Amino acid sequence: MKYVSFVLFFFSALVVLNNTSCSSGNKHPRETQMLDSMQILVIKADSAMKTIDTSKIATYADHINKDMQMIPLFHADSMSPGAAQIFRNFNGVRWQLLTVTGKRGPLLNELGKSQKQLSHLSHDIKNNLVTGDSVQFYVAFETKKAAELVQTSAYSIDMLKKQLPEYEMLAPKADSLISLLKEHKKF
């Protein structure tokens, strides 16, 4: 949410601060600068999403899944509430990790489309190929869509920043509990 506020503040500041005109005859320099700036944010969001280590996340999710499959095999229905909470949290981490990686591909695709749309629209406006009364509509539409994608990317990265340490904290506890189950000990 703070990222969207930054984006909206950034664009508001651009509109207020930019009172120059382009030498190319661009009738809408503020709008093209706004589009170009949003394109930079989309490129950064795309780069951030591409840095996600999907193989590491798949390994973590697979580990959690294997641990979760062990629970019914040992009739662990009588485990303590604390142990049950560890497994619930551990399974929640798996779900969050898989959600982020599942959205990654489509999000990268949409970020790429948005980047192209912003670039083409900026080009068309700079070259006065868009009618004056349509400029505001198209700029608002494309920047809003791009801002939503940037926000989704930021949310995904933030989610991973929370869930990866959670996994690293819970994995040894869950593995220890699974070892106790294998030894038929109650906990």
Side-chain angles (χ1 to χ4, degrees):
M1 197 52 102
K2 62 184 174 185
Y3 199 72
V4 171
S5 298
F6 167 74
V7 170
L8 293 175
F9 172 77
F10 180 73
F11 288 123
S12 299
L14 280 176
V15 170
V16 171
L17 294 175
N18 186 4
N19 289 322
T20 63
S21 63
C22 291
S23 59
S24 67
N26 180 358
K27 295 178 184 176
H28 304 281
R30 291 182 197 138
E31 288 80 0
T32 55
Q33 186 174 13
M34 187 182 301
L35 290 167
D36 295 345
S37 297
M38 180 53 91
Q39 186 178 3
I40 291 168
L41 293 175
V42 169
I43 290 168
K44 288 180 179 180
D46 184 73
S47 294
M49 291 303 295
K50 286 178 180 173
T51 64
I52 293 174
D53 186 350
T54 54
S55 63
K56 177 180 179 180
I57 292 171
T59 300
Y60 285 4
D62 186 50
H63 173 225
I64 295 168
N65 195 43
K66 285 179 182 174
D67 277 5
M68 297 307 293
Q69 288 176 353
M70 297 296 286
I71 295 171
L73 296 176
F74 295 104
H75 306 288
D77 53 348
S78 62
M79 73 174 75
S80 72
Q85 186 63 45
I86 288 171
F87 285 116
R88 274 193 298 277
N89 292 344
F90 204 41
N91 197 44
V93 168
R94 180 186 64 87
W95 187 85
Q96 292 290 348
L97 294 176
L98 292 175
T99 299
V100 170
T101 57
K103 290 180 180 179
R104 182 180 175 266
L107 182 56
L108 284 171
N109 187 36
E110 290 301 314
L111 286 165
K113 286 180 189 177
S114 182
Q115 182 181 347
K116 288 177 186 172
Q117 284 294 107
L118 292 166
S119 176
H120 292 302
L121 182 57
S122 178
H123 173 269
D124 290 350
I125 292 173
K126 284 176 187 170
N127 293 296
N128 301 313
L129 299 173
V130 179
T131 59
D133 56 342
S134 299
V135 169
Q136 292 298 324
F137 171 78
Y138 289 124
V139 168
F141 179 78
E142 291 300 333
T143 55
K144 180 179 185 239
K145 188 167 71 171
E148 289 170 355
L149 292 169
V150 168
Q151 179 184 12
T152 301
S153 174
Y155 176 79
S156 295
I157 298 298
D158 286 346
M159 182 60 62
L160 286 178
K161 286 180 181 176
K162 292 175 186 170
Q163 294 303 313
L164 293 175
E166 185 81 6
Y167 168 85
E168 291 167 0
M169 180 189 75
L170 290 172
K173 293 177 183 179
D175 289 345
S176 176
L177 292 171
I178 292 295
S179 293
L180 290 173
L181 280 174
K182 285 179 180 178
E183 296 171 10
H184 302 292
K185 294 182 180 177
K186 293 190 177 203
F187 48 88

